[in-house]
Amino acid sequence: MIYYWFILVVVLCYFIGNINFARVIARVFKHEDITTKGSGNPGTMNVLRVYGIGYAVLTLILECIKAGVPAIVCGYIFAGEGMFELAFFTAGISVVLGHNFPVIYKFKGGKGIACTAGMFFFSPLWWVGLIMFVVCCIFLYFVDYAFLASLIFVSALSISWIIYLGLLQPYLWWVCIILIAFNWVLDIAMHHANITRFVKGTENPTNFRQKVNKLFGKKEKIEQIEEKPEKEIIIEDDEENNNNSNQQN
C-alpha cells in the first residue's frame, strides 16, 4: 500500500516541477519570454546572462525551494517507515524531471541544476552543499563558464551522498544511490551541447565577473562623479588668481 503513496509523490512532485520560475520572473518583471533571450534556456544561468545577478538570485532561491521543500516534506512523512532517504530523493528527483521535461511547456524545460541544488540544500548534508556553492561561485568568477561550475557542484554533491549512503546504509540505500546516479547522469546529459561547444571553443561565457564588478563598482563610480566638479572649481579659482595677479603687475 505504501508504494501507491510513492506513485502519488512522483506524480505530484513532477507537476510541481512544471512551475518554471525563470519563465515566471521574466514574464512578471520584464514582460518577456526568457526562451527568446540569451541561450533560450529557461533557467537560472540564462536569467543571470540576460537580466543580471538580482533576478538570477531570485530565480535560484525559488527553484531551490521548489525542489527542496517537497523533498524534505516527503522525507519526514515517510521517516516513520524508515524511508526518509528514499522518499526524499524520489520527491526531489521527480521535481527535477518535471522541471526538465514539463508537460505544460511541451517537455521543453530547463536543465535542472537549480532544482538539484535545492534538493541538496535541504538534505542532511546541506553544509556540504553550501561549501560547494561558495567554491563554485569563486570558480565561476575566475573561469566564467557556468555549465562547468554547475557540473562540478552536482558531481561533488552526488559523490558525497553516494559515499554517505554507502556508509550509513539506510533502508533501500542502493535504490537511493541509483536515483542520485541517474540524476547526476541526467544533469550531464542536459549540458551535452555546452560540453560540445566548450571542446570546440565556441561556448559563450556568462560574464559573471563583469556583473559582479559592476554590482560592487557603482559606489566607486558615484564618488568619482562627485569629485570631478570640485577639481574643476579648484582649477577655475587658480585661473582667477593668476588673472588678478597679472592685472596688478
Side-chain angles (χ1 to χ4, degrees), residues 16 63-75 88 91 95 118-119 122:
I16 290 174
E63 290 291 343
C64 286
I65 293 172
K66 181 179 77 175
V69 170
I72 195 70
V73 169
C74 290
F88 181 89
V95 174
M119 180 177 67
F122 280 78

Side-chain angles (χ1 to χ4, degrees), residues 17 95-102 107-113 186-187 190:
V95 174
V96 175
L97 288 174
H99 176 84
N100 291 359
F101 310 105
F107 302 102
K108 296 178 180 179
K111 297 181 180 179
I113 297 298
L186 177 63
D187 288 336
M190 295 298 292

Side-chain angles (χ1 to χ4, degrees), residues 4-5 7 12 22 27-28 31 43 49 51 55 65 82 86 90 97 101 106 150 162 171 188 190 195 209 213 216 249:
Y4 290 108
W5 287 105
I7 294 174
L12 287 177
R27 183 66 64 185
V28 171
H31 308 290
R49 182 180 289 108
Y51 300 129
Y55 290 111
I65 293 172
L86 181 61
T90 298
L97 288 174
F101 310 105
K106 299 179 180 179
S150 299
I162 288 172
Y171 180 69
I188 295 173
M190 295 298 292
I195 296 171
R209 185 188 304 176
N213 291 341
F216 292 100
N249 294 331

Side-chain angles (χ1 to χ4, degrees), residues 34-81:
I34 189 64
T35 60
T36 63
K37 303 291 180 178
S39 66
N41 178 59
T44 303
M45 288 303 177
N46 196 32
V47 172
L48 172 65
R49 182 180 289 108
V50 177
Y51 300 129
I53 293 177
Y55 290 111
V57 170
L58 178 60
T59 305
L60 176 63
I61 291 172
L62 293 175
E63 290 291 343
C64 286
I65 293 172
K66 181 179 77 175
V69 170
I72 195 70
V73 169
C74 290
Y76 280 117
I77 288 175
F78 289 91
E81 305 293 332

Side-chain angles (χ1 to χ4, degrees), residues 202-220:
T202 58
E203 174 69 4
N204 293 323
T206 314
N207 296 323
F208 182 67
R209 185 188 304 176
Q210 289 83 348
K211 295 179 188 298
V212 172
N213 291 341
K214 182 180 179 181
L215 181 65
F216 292 100
K218 288 181 178 179
K219 185 176 180 181
E220 182 180 351

Side-chain angles (χ1 to χ4, degrees), residues 1-17 70-71 73-75 77-78 86-95:
M1 181 66 182
I2 194 170
Y3 293 103
Y4 290 108
W5 287 105
F6 266 81
I7 294 174
L8 181 62
V9 166
V10 170
V11 173
L12 287 177
C13 289
Y14 169 82
F15 280 103
I16 290 174
V73 169
C74 290
I77 288 175
F78 289 91
L86 181 61
F88 181 89
F89 287 109
T90 298
I93 294 171
S94 296
V95 174

